[in-house]
Amino acid sequence: MLIDNWQVVSGVVQQGHQIASGWANDSPYPKGSIAMQMPYFRALGLDLFALFKGTLNISIYPATFVMQQPTYTFREVDWTAAHPPETFSFSPCHITFQSLQYQGFVYYPHPETKQRHFQNAAILEILAPPIAGIGYGDRVKLALNPTEILIVNPQKS
């Protein structure tokens, strides 16, 4: 069920760095960074354990996004000894794929506290339940709360 006044944007599933899931051959986190972070987020009040332990990377190109007033922001989460603490924000969202809707969260590791594996501003990282049949190149729709996430459309010339 979509919430009134949420904005809907179309996107395409893209391959990410595969660090969140731990699927990258050179991942410093074999179980994935999301699985390692989840206990910290739960302790701070956000239980994500029912969701897939990786991100769904959705490109909304040529549009971009700006995280504004997310539901959750956890500052200086010290989840690994591999680098300094990071700040994370989360905004509820709905993903529609093949006419089915899933509830999830936009996952936003703040770039100013991240050391590597940056995303461009056209990629939304989504934490969602497992979605059967979804793959790279598939089109989805995202419903986002416009008070939490601003979608910036490029100027038309």
Side-chain angles (χ1 to χ4, degrees):
M1 160 167 85
L2 290 180
I3 298 173
D4 289 339
N5 301 319
W6 279 29
Q7 60 194 339
V8 177
V9 296
S10 295
V12 177
V13 178
Q14 304 280 308
Q15 182 172 337
H17 301 292
Q18 298 186 322
I19 300 300
S21 63
W23 293 353
N25 291 333
D26 62 346
S27 176
Y29 319 111
K31 292 182 181 177
S33 60
I34 298 296
M36 292 175 65
Q37 294 165 358
M38 281 182 171
Y40 294 91
F41 300 148
R42 178 191 271 169
L44 292 165
L46 180 59
D47 188 344
L48 301 168
F49 277 89
L51 305 179
F52 178 74
K53 290 165 184 58
T55 57
L56 192 59
N57 296 281
I58 309 294
S59 172
I60 58 171
Y61 182 84
T64 59
F65 79 98
V66 176
M67 184 67 74
Q68 296 186 121
Q69 298 175 333
T71 300
Y72 299 94
T73 296
F74 304 130
R75 300 192 184 286
E76 298 186 16
V77 179
D78 195 6
W79 65 275
T80 178
H83 51 75
E86 294 180 84
T87 297
F88 299 90
S89 288
F90 300 87
S91 178
C93 67
H94 299 272
I95 305 102
T96 303
F97 175 64
Q98 295 181 343
S99 301
L100 296 175
Q101 193 174 100
Y102 305 85
Q103 293 182 21
F105 288 90
V106 175
Y107 165 82
Y108 184 72
H110 287 239
E112 67 274 15
T113 63
K114 247 183 124 163
Q115 288 198 330
R116 56 184 169 240
H117 306 114
F118 297 99
Q119 296 290 357
N120 77 45
I123 302 283
L124 287 144
E125 290 186 272
I126 307 297
L127 295 173
I131 300 175
I134 200 163
Y136 302 136
D138 285 339
R139 298 199 63 75
V140 299
K141 292 207 179 286
L142 292 175
L144 306 165
N145 183 334
T147 63
E148 296 193 17
I149 296 177
L150 173 66
I151 298 299
V152 180
N153 291 310
Q155 295 290 344
K156 295 188 172 148
S157 42

